Structure formats: C-alpha cells, structure tokens
Amino acid sequence: MRLYDTHCHLDFSAFDKDRSQVVAGAQRVGVERFMLLGITEQQWSNLIKLCDDFSPAFRFSLGLHPYFIHQHQSTHINALASCFESLSDSARARCQAIGEIGLDATCEQPKLQKALLDQQLVLAKNYQLPVILHHRKTLDELLKSVREKRVEHGVVHAFSGSYEQAAAWVDQGFKLGIGGTITYERAKKTRDAIQRIGVEHLVLETDAPDMPLCGYQGRRNEPKRVAQVLQSLAKLLETSTEAISPVLWKNSTALFN
C-alpha cells in the first residue's frame, strides 16, 4: 500500500528531537511521500535545506500562510518569486506547489491577506504549479478568488464544508484534502460531503503536528496517522483500503507531479 501525506509540517520544532523516528514510523505503515509546506519568508530556506538533506521522500511547497499575516509584507511576493528563481535543479524538482496560502477570517488584515493570496495565485499560474489552500470560514470567498485568477489545479487543505461546496471546488478542478476531521462522528456535514463526492477527488493528509485524529486529542499528530485516516475513509465509503489507496496515490502524484 502506497500512501502520500500531502500536508504535514515536519520542519516544525515539534519534530526536532525525533524527526528520523517519525519518518521511519510513517514509512513502516506505507507512507512513501511527504509534502512539507512553506508558510513564511523566514522559514523557506530552512525548509528547502531540510528537504534537500533529510529524505528523498520529502517534497515541498513555498507560500505565505495567512495565519502568520503579521510576519508578511507586500514585498514578500517579490521575495517568493526570487526564491523560486534561485532554487537549485534538485530543489526545483521537489518544489511542487505554491502553498500554504489562503484566507482566514479569524486573522487580522483581510485586505493584505487578499492581496497576497491574489498575487500568489498569479505566481502559481506563471509557474504552472498547483496551489495548497488554507481556509477558515472563507471557503466561498476563496473559491471566488480562485475563479477570478483562473487557477484550476490544487487542493483545499482540511476540507470541512458541505457537499455543495465540495462539488463547486471539484468543478474548479481541485482535490479535497482529507484528514483527521472525518474521524469525528460529529463532523456530519463534512462526512456526508466526502461520502457523496467520490474518492477520485480526494487526497490524504495529516497536518502534523496539528489536527489530531479522534482518540488522539491533545497529542502530537504524525504522518503515520494518515494510514488511520485511510481506514476511516474506507469505512465511510463502505469499501476497503486496498480498493481506494491506489486511487488516492494516483490523485496525489498527479496533482504534485
């Protein structure tokens, strides 16, 4: 069984003491690739170095996450473009998305958030890369921006919307990132949407060290838990992990080519 954790933060300090063991544990349950996310200008260089030095299974994206809006300036768009242009050939091959970008209604400076989002969407079009989108109470507003910029490839990280919202994103050409949320029985709206939308539109993720699965609240999340997300998804879809894991792998590798 081949698994891809399409969204994790293995460069975070939460993994500094046992990163090798965490990766090995994930690989033992079938995780063959890991997508690590760019979130701030200050973090990019360390992220790139980690992916170059640590494991051939690592891939990465570069972006300006709205949660860290107080660390961003409008000039960081130029810095992002320069960072892409300066990547070595090996790093460029591993840099497979613009992200994590998006809109967050719980964070300040909505105008700056929107300006940075729009400019990063343009960069994604220019570099012919998919986008990895963060949302919080902004799914519909985010879709409007994506449509305006005619971006047709990417993933909605930690999808938690309705079936109608899921269908709208799928129509736009996006995959839905499925993680710990579906392991909670109370997430009825999202579970219903995922059940109806079809596995061909999904990718697996953990968001490690955040977004723990049901039963692991208060504990550090890890990429190995993606295997449990797969089990929960198979149960939700009333099928087997063997039936859907090849589809999910294909979805992920096609998206992050």
Side-chain angles (χ1 to χ4, degrees), residues 63-138:
L64 297 165
H65 193 306
Y67 188 80
F68 303 95
I69 193 66
H70 291 295
Q71 297 183 40
H72 304 332
Q73 301 175 16
S74 58
T75 55
H76 284 168
I77 289 297
N78 295 331
L80 180 57
S82 296
C83 186
F84 272 105
E85 294 297 335
S86 64
L87 290 174
S88 66
D89 289 343
S90 62
R92 184 66 187 84
R94 291 192 186 200
C95 183
Q96 296 180 347
I98 299 285
E100 180 176 355
I101 68 176
L103 298 172
D104 193 316
T106 70
C107 296
E108 297 180 354
Q109 303 190 60
K111 290 184 178 179
L112 179 57
Q113 285 191 52
K114 180 65 163 59
L116 291 174
L117 169 68
D118 286 348
Q119 293 175 80
Q120 289 176 100
L121 292 174
V122 170
L123 276 182
K125 287 284 286 186
N126 291 343
Y127 286 107
Q128 297 183 321
L129 289 172
V131 293
I132 301 171
L133 298 177
H134 168 92
H135 63 95
R136 191 171 293 164
K137 302 179 181 180
T138 55

Side-chain angles (χ1 to χ4, degrees), residues 178-193:
I178 306 304
T181 299
I182 68 163
T183 67
Y184 292 85
E185 292 287 343
R186 66 176 183 268
K188 296 184 183 302
K189 178 181 68 174
T190 299
R191 286 165 59 88
D192 174 70

Side-chain angles (χ1 to χ4, degrees), residues 40-51:
T40 66
E41 189 270 342
Q42 294 91 336
Q43 172 241 11
W44 297 335
S45 59
N46 288 336
L47 175 66
I48 294 166
K49 187 176 188 305
L50 178 68
C51 289

Side-chain angles (χ1 to χ4, degrees), residues 175-233:
K175 303 300 184 188
L176 309 180
I178 306 304
T181 299
I182 68 163
T183 67
Y184 292 85
E185 292 287 343
R186 66 176 183 268
K188 296 184 183 302
K189 178 181 68 174
T190 299
R191 286 165 59 88
D192 174 70
I194 298 309
Q195 194 172 37
R196 296 170 62 188
I197 202 67
V199 69
E200 65 271 19
H201 304 300
L202 310 178
V203 296
L204 298 177
E205 59 179 35
T206 62
D207 201 25
D210 300 317
M211 295 189 69
L213 281 65
C214 183
Y216 296 91
Q217 296 93 322
R219 296 168 60 179
R220 180 185 70 175
N221 199 7
E222 297 184 13
K224 70 180 180 181
R225 305 279 181 226
V226 79
Q228 290 167 266
V229 175
L230 173 64
Q231 292 172 358
S232 294
L233 179 61

Side-chain angles (χ1 to χ4, degrees), residues 117-180:
L117 169 68
D118 286 348
Q119 293 175 80
Q120 289 176 100
L121 292 174
V122 170
L123 276 182
K125 287 284 286 186
N126 291 343
Y127 286 107
Q128 297 183 321
L129 289 172
V131 293
I132 301 171
L133 298 177
H134 168 92
H135 63 95
R136 191 171 293 164
K137 302 179 181 180
T138 55
L139 263 181
D140 296 335
E141 182 182 358
L142 196 55
L143 180 57
K144 182 180 179 181
S145 294
V146 166
R147 284 173 171 166
E148 287 174 351
K149 300 303 178 185
R150 299 182 180 180
V151 174
E152 299 175 348
H153 302 286
V155 57
V156 182
H157 161 53
F159 178 79
S160 59
S162 66
Y163 170 73
E164 290 74 19
Q165 289 172 315
W169 279 102
V170 165
D171 285 346
Q172 188 63 23
F174 276 65
K175 303 300 184 188
L176 309 180
I178 306 304

